Amino acid sequence: MAGKGGSGKGGGGGRTGGKSKGPERRTVQARPGGGWDVVRPGGKRASAHTDTQVQAMQRGREILGNIGGGELTIKGKDGKIRDSDTVAPGNDPNPPRDTK
């Protein structure tokens, strides 16, 4: 049997940058010192910090839209998931047209 690789081209199956499978995800959660954070699951730092939950939700949607869409999870002050939202990719040069 032939060994794996050999071509020197990596053979990564189309994946780049070691991204995990599935959609990008961000979570809006209360910060212990006050305010709201937009965090990436498993991340050590917040992607954004805002004064209100509504601002954090808007910023989370903006971040996900800029990176190609994904899933935004919103947690309440008690830490329980209260809502989630699927965000479509942003800045589409050919957006769908309303046919109605």
Side-chain angles (χ1 to χ4, degrees):
M1 275 191 170
K4 290 186 179 179
S7 69
K9 292 189 178 183
R15 288 191 230 163
T16 59
K19 288 186 178 182
S20 62
K21 293 181 182 179
E24 284 288 331
R25 297 183 185 278
R26 293 294 185 276
T27 301
V28 171
Q29 59 190 28
R31 185 178 190 141
W36 294 85
D37 285 341
V38 179
V39 296
R40 183 179 198 171
K44 294 181 181 179
R45 300 184 332 171
S47 301
H49 176 76
T50 64
D51 293 330
T52 69
Q53 187 179 40
V54 170
Q55 290 171 334
M57 291 166 54
Q58 290 170 342
R59 182 65 181 128
R61 287 185 183 103
E62 181 181 348
I63 290 168
L64 286 170
N66 288 340
I67 60 174
E71 193 71 26
L72 182 66
T73 302
I74 298 108
K75 293 184 177 182
K77 285 186 178 181
D78 58 3
K80 293 181 181 177
I81 296 173
R82 68 176 194 89
D83 199 7
S84 64
D85 189 13
T86 301
V87 179
N91 302 325
D92 186 353
N94 298 307
R97 296 187 181 176
D98 192 0
T99 58
K100 293 183 181 180

